[in-house]
Amino acid sequence: MSKLLNGEAITLGTCYYPEHWDESLWREDLERMFSVGIKTVRIAEFAWSKVEEKEGQFNFDFFDKFLDLTDELGMQVIMGTPTATPPAWLTEKYPDVLNAKKDGTLFRHGLRRHYNYNSENYKRLSKIIVEKFAEHYGKRKSVIGWQIDNEINCEIAEFYSESDDKAFNLFLQNKYKTLDALNDAWGAVFWNQTYTEWSEVHIPRTTVHENVNPHQTLDYYRFISDSACNFVKMQADIIRKYKKEDDFITTNGLFGHVDYQRMRDESLDFITYDSYPNFAYTFEGFDPNESSLRDRKWSMNLSETRAISPVFGIMEQQSGANGWNSRMAAPTPRPGQITLWTMQSIAHGADFISYFRWRTATFGTEMYWHGILDYSGRDNRRLKEIGDIDSKVKKLSPVSNGRYVAKVAVLKDYDNIFDSEYDVWHRSVEVESQKAIFAASQKTHTPIDYLYLTDYLGQSDSLLERLSKYDLLIYPHMTIVNESFLPALRKYVENGGKLLFACRSGYKDVTGKCTMEKLPGKLKALTGCDIPEYSYIAPDMTDVHVKWGDDVFTASVFVDQLTLDGDIKENADSKILATFEDDYYKGYGALTLNKIGKGEVYYYGSAFNEESVKVFFDKLGVSIPFGKYLDLPKEIELAVRENSKGTFAFILNYEKEEKTFKVKEKAYDLISEETVAGDIILPGYGVIVLKL
């Protein structure tokens, strides 16, 4: 059992950089951490040169000295592998390790994440340093786990080095075997892109309008993910040879062009997330629109993390003002916000919270990225708040190991995520729908999960087992159809589940090419509908309305004009439930229902907005599942965790002003240790945790 996420308690940690501070501060810092409840530190993820100052010259004294102190004091340590910042001697001697822009310009030493995963030199040298770290420090008493690298694909998620070009070519040869197969998959006959020798095939390169073959781009994003996953697995395999039995392996963050579901299942015990809700208040990124949800949006990221790893922790939790010397400047968290954001993470399933960072660096690019302590190290308001958080977290031990409760799940897969990045037709509906589903779930207090479909799960009963936990599955825009997922989806419906698709679904195969079948292509048998015509909603239209029984609401972005599939037109199990009310598609179906076995498949012919999602939640019987217990205003978030000890409702106020809500049946407040009922006033940035 992991010493960190052991299901017995929720614990606190912090990120610490002994290489930034005089050794005389170490003991004082660690003892002060203990005084506010911090029992774990993460170290070393940027410290390659502290062990290998020159190639092949290893000295372990620095971290041995620090670990001697943590052993003595009983502080737990998460060791980072230092591959996120290769040292100057390495990049100078082996320039092939450097990443590059699409035009070939190299990213030079001086920031971080300037390397590529496919340089043979970088893989060789990374193996050596990881093996040296794991072999030497793996048996240390205070070391309880390992973080691989740091924030895989952060800063940049595209790679154009010569090493990547060669590796991409090999990736394609392994995948397609022949050039004929590759030419077919990429539609290379279009604009005379046909390849006759493998030496002609490259990563995407600079073109007119920077527009690259879309099928090539899809494979390129798959390649980036494959490279990142292989790089992490290489390190995990080394660490497992040396770590103690109960020590864990993780990595942190969620960034672009990585199949984290594969990475977690292949290489990690669990994943950790870096939660920075204060990004909502950066001066260049602040959205004055109240509907933006601001820092509350980080609950979406936490839900994504939970989807990949139901057991997870937070490796970096906001504790001070953020900002580099060049960008991302934001104000200091107001009193109560660190507590709010900590509880936000715990509410969504985190049982470990590590604050970034203990001391604010006095130098470097992140010298304005503040931690718990400011430059002087004096006691301050934030340090006191961390101590108060510790006292609250101790009272939440019954919640630990509790699973987030949701009966609605949003389905995703990485092919469609990648496709929506480079295909603006897909992106325009995807972005609109994902924002709307999350916002509506938050404001109606209808908790949702995200669920990632993967090839290997599609081939087994594991996927069906995951699907069956939910009353409603929403796959907003399954543009690319991986047919291996369809048997489990069909079985889920046959067993009584409800499955909802929306417009622009089913029109591409796994290469990203458009189908010549009648739309929605491979989804026709599930949906029972036909789409004879489709269109963006014209910019000269105001609103396009949808009428569903007594409900009338607006469509968004796109229209699929729906009829019933001619092959099953007489089938009483298929019908049109709603129609469009405007423009030339007035009278066409906007929503169809197909009954299969005990369940139902719905196809909605538009993108979602908050208004339409609320109607769907109500009509499909999943809205406000905890309405029996609580009456909450839309400004408050509800998140519920459940385990054998009970059902626990986290109620979070993201507003500066106090909000009032109602507890309909008596409930126990874990933090105040009182039984409450009736109207409750929740102060600005306030949190209450109730055992229902």
Side-chain angles (χ1 to χ4, degrees):
M1 178 181 289
S2 166
K3 296 173 185 175
L4 193 70
L5 301 178
N6 57 19
E8 297 174 2
I10 298 165
T11 58
L12 304 182
T14 191
C15 305
Y16 191 63
Y17 299 93
E19 66 270 24
H20 293 178
W21 310 109
D22 190 273
E23 184 183 340
S24 62
L25 293 172
W26 292 355
R27 180 179 292 272
E28 174 194 345
D29 280 342
L30 294 175
E31 289 176 346
R32 289 176 76 192
M33 290 175 199
F34 277 121
S35 73
V36 292
I38 290 172
K39 300 175 182 177
T40 305
V41 293
R42 178 196 66 176
I43 65 170
E45 76 272 19
F46 299 124
W48 189 323
S49 295
K50 299 303 290 185
V51 171
E52 189 180 14
E53 186 175 359
K54 295 182 178 180
E55 184 175 3
Q57 297 180 16
F58 299 97
N59 187 323
F60 302 99
D61 293 351
F62 181 81
F63 286 118
D64 273 338
K65 191 175 294 185
F66 183 75
L67 292 174
D68 287 344
L69 184 58
T70 58
D71 285 350
E72 175 193 336
L73 296 176
M75 179 67 76
Q76 299 182 139
V77 175
I78 301 169
M79 290 291 294
T81 66
T83 52
T85 50
W89 61 257
L90 193 158
T91 56
E92 193 69 21
K93 184 176 181 180
Y94 303 105
D96 61 291
V97 309
L98 296 170
N99 191 10
K101 296 181 181 179
K102 190 181 286 189
D103 66 5
T105 304
L106 295 179
F107 290 110
R108 297 291 184 174
H109 189 90
L111 198 65
R112 63 176 182 179
R113 305 214 60 83
H114 43 292
Y115 61 90
N116 67 76
Y117 304 120
N118 289 299
S119 159
E120 292 301 322
N121 280 317
Y122 199 63
K123 286 190 285 187
R124 174 178 60 84
L125 292 162
S126 293
K127 286 178 182 178
I128 292 170
I129 193 64
V130 171
E131 183 126 24
K132 291 292 185 181
F133 260 63
E135 182 181 28
H136 188 84
Y137 300 120
K139 302 302 182 185
R140 292 297 302 240
K141 172 185 170 184
S142 53
V143 172
I144 62 166
W146 292 81
Q147 175 190 293
I148 292 176
D149 202 86
N150 185 77
E151 298 183 333
I152 296 291
N153 281 16
C154 180
E155 315 300 350
I156 190 165
E158 295 186 358
F159 298 81
Y160 298 104
S161 72
E162 290 186 12
S163 297
D164 293 301
D165 188 53
K166 293 174 184 175
F168 183 50
N169 189 289
L170 184 59
F171 172 85
L172 296 172
Q173 290 189 52
N174 290 333
K175 178 174 182 176
Y176 291 109
K177 310 304 181 188
T178 69
L179 281 169
D180 286 343
L182 179 135
N183 283 324
D184 179 65
W186 286 9
V189 68
F190 186 79
W191 282 349
N192 200 34
Q193 296 173 25
T194 302
Y195 301 99
T196 58
E197 298 288 344
W198 280 108
S199 59
E200 299 163 3
V201 182
H202 298 281
I203 53 177
R205 298 191 290 185
T206 302
T207 65
V208 176
H209 297 299
E210 288 297 335
N211 192 45
V212 180
N213 181 316
H215 318 292
Q216 177 187 13
T217 302
L218 179 59
D219 270 339
Y220 172 63
Y221 289 168
R222 289 166 172 156
F223 158 75
I224 293 173
S225 177
D226 186 68
S227 300
C229 288
N230 289 339
F231 185 69
V232 169
K233 186 176 186 303
M234 174 268 287
Q235 296 199 32
D237 288 346
I238 293 170
I239 293 168
R240 288 193 199 283
K241 294 192 300 183
Y242 299 102
K243 76 178 188 66
K244 301 188 296 297
E245 182 179 357
D246 292 337
D247 291 356
F248 60 83
I249 299 174
T250 188
T251 192
N252 57 325
L254 294 178
F255 299 93
H257 304 158
V258 180
D259 181 341
Y260 279 100
Q261 187 70 69
R262 170 188 164 186
M263 181 183 290
R264 180 255 183 268
D265 293 344
E266 188 175 75
S267 302
L268 309 174
D269 294 300
F270 52 82
I271 199 164
T272 59
Y273 179 63
D274 296 347
S275 189
Y276 289 103
N278 210 33
F279 271 124
Y281 300 101
T282 58
F283 293 108
E284 66 263 42
F286 177 71
D287 187 345
N289 189 334
E290 291 288 344
S291 67
S292 70
L293 294 178
R294 296 176 185 158
D295 49 332
R296 189 173 172 181
K297 282 190 300 189
W298 263 252
S299 292
M300 187 176 186
N301 301 336
L302 292 161
S303 297
E304 295 271 9
T305 308
R306 188 177 65 247
I308 293 157
S309 183
V311 175
F312 73 95
I314 304 297
M315 194 63 79
E316 298 181 14
Q317 179 72 60
Q318 189 99 45
S319 67
N322 48 279
W324 288 6
N325 66 304
S326 55
R327 61 193 182 103
M328 298 184 287
T332 301
R334 292 186 170 101
Q337 281 188 311
I338 302 174
T339 304
L340 172 68
W341 296 332
T342 299
M343 294 299 175
Q344 179 184 32
S345 294
I346 296 171
H348 282 272
D351 280 358
F352 169 66
I353 308 293
S354 172
Y355 295 98
F356 188 84
R357 58 185 127 179
W358 177 247
R359 285 181 177 269
T360 304
T362 61
F363 49 80
T365 301
E366 287 188 339
M367 61 186 176
Y368 301 123
W369 206 297
H370 291 67
I372 297 169
L373 301 179
D374 293 320
Y375 306 120
S376 67
R378 66 190 292 179
D379 285 355
N380 62 19
R381 168 178 62 83
R382 299 196 300 283
L383 182 67
K384 181 179 184 302
E385 189 167 339
I386 298 298
D388 291 341
I389 290 169
D390 177 57
S391 66
K392 291 180 171 72
V393 163
K394 284 184 171 70
K395 298 176 182 180
L396 298 183
S397 59
V399 178
S400 64
N401 203 35
R403 296 296 182 261
Y404 187 88
V405 180
K407 287 298 182 181
V408 179
V410 177
L411 301 181
K412 295 187 173 188
D413 70 80
Y414 284 100
D415 280 347
N416 276 289
I417 291 169
F418 297 160
D419 186 77
S420 67
E421 289 191 43
Y422 64 80
D423 185 330
V424 297
W425 286 60
H426 188 169
R427 186 192 315 150
S428 60
V429 293
E430 188 74 33
V431 171
E432 185 79 7
S433 289
Q434 293 292 351
K435 284 168 51 182
I437 293 168
F438 174 74
S441 74
Q442 284 279 310
K443 294 176 184 178
T444 63
H445 308 110
T446 304
I448 63 170
D449 277 339
Y450 296 102
L451 182 61
Y452 281 86
L453 309 181
T454 67
D455 275 325
Y456 67 90
L457 281 178
Q459 307 291 345
S460 70
D461 292 334
S462 299
L463 178 56
L464 178 61
E465 184 181 344
R466 294 191 184 190
L467 300 178
S468 298
K469 298 175 183 177
Y470 302 97
D471 295 338
L472 173 65
L473 300 176
I474 307 173
Y475 202 117
H477 309 286
M478 194 181 191
T479 294
I480 290 177
V481 177
N482 185 327
E483 293 183 62
S484 70
F485 303 150
L486 299 185
L489 291 174
R490 186 176 188 90
K491 189 67 175 176
Y492 162 80
V493 176
E494 289 175 346
N495 290 346
K498 296 175 182 177
L499 175 61
L500 171 60
F501 295 103
C503 69
R504 306 301 285 152
S505 290
Y507 71 92
K508 286 184 179 181
D509 65 18
V510 291
T511 69
K513 291 190 294 190
C514 295
T515 182
M516 292 180 68
E517 297 180 53
K518 292 180 180 178
L519 296 179
K522 298 299 182 186
L523 298 181
K524 281 178 70 67
L526 269 176
T527 65
C529 70
D530 186 28
I531 306 171
E533 195 167 349
Y534 49 84
S535 176
Y536 270 112
I537 296 174
D540 61 352
M541 282 295 296
T542 49
D543 287 332
V544 172
H545 297 90
V546 174
K547 182 171 175 45
W548 183 4
D550 295 332
D551 290 292
V552 178
F553 51 91
T554 56
S556 288
V557 185
F558 209 90
V559 164
D560 280 349
Q561 298 168 220
L562 305 180
T563 63
L564 297 181
D565 185 353
D567 295 335
I568 57 171
K569 192 170 185 180
E570 305 305 319
N571 189 339
D573 288 337
S574 298
K575 57 184 175 182
I576 292 173
L577 296 181
T579 56
F580 291 112
E581 298 292 292
D582 302 282
D583 214 339
Y584 66 90
Y585 28 84
K586 180 177 181 179
Y588 271 95
L591 175 68
T592 60
L593 163 64
N594 190 32
K595 293 188 177 181
I596 302 175
K598 299 176 183 178
E600 300 169 338
V601 181
Y602 297 84
Y603 191 102
Y604 175 50
S606 189
F608 293 111
N609 53 40
E610 283 188 48
E611 180 188 16
S612 61
V613 173
K614 290 175 185 176
V615 174
F616 274 98
F617 282 173
D618 287 340
K619 293 274 194 181
L620 300 184
V622 297
S623 187
I624 320 176
F626 296 96
K628 171 185 175 182
Y629 305 100
L630 302 163
D631 186 7
L632 304 168
K634 66 180 182 180
E635 294 85 2
I636 283 178
E637 179 179 11
L638 170 69
V640 179
R641 291 182 64 175
E642 189 173 65
N643 58 24
S644 61
K645 299 173 186 175
T647 301
F648 305 93
F650 287 73
I651 300 160
L652 304 100
N653 180 14
Y654 293 84
E655 305 291 320
K656 294 190 290 289
E657 301 80 18
E658 66 182 30
K659 297 294 176 185
T660 301
F661 69 96
K662 179 173 287 187
V663 179
K664 295 181 179 179
E665 298 182 3
K666 287 182 180 179
Y668 181 71
D669 180 348
L670 270 67
I671 295 175
S672 71
E673 301 178 311
E674 297 174 341
T675 298
V676 298
D679 288 342
I680 306 293
I681 296 175
L682 194 61
Y685 310 129
V687 178
I688 188 170
V689 183
L690 301 177
K691 183 177 182 181
L692 298 181

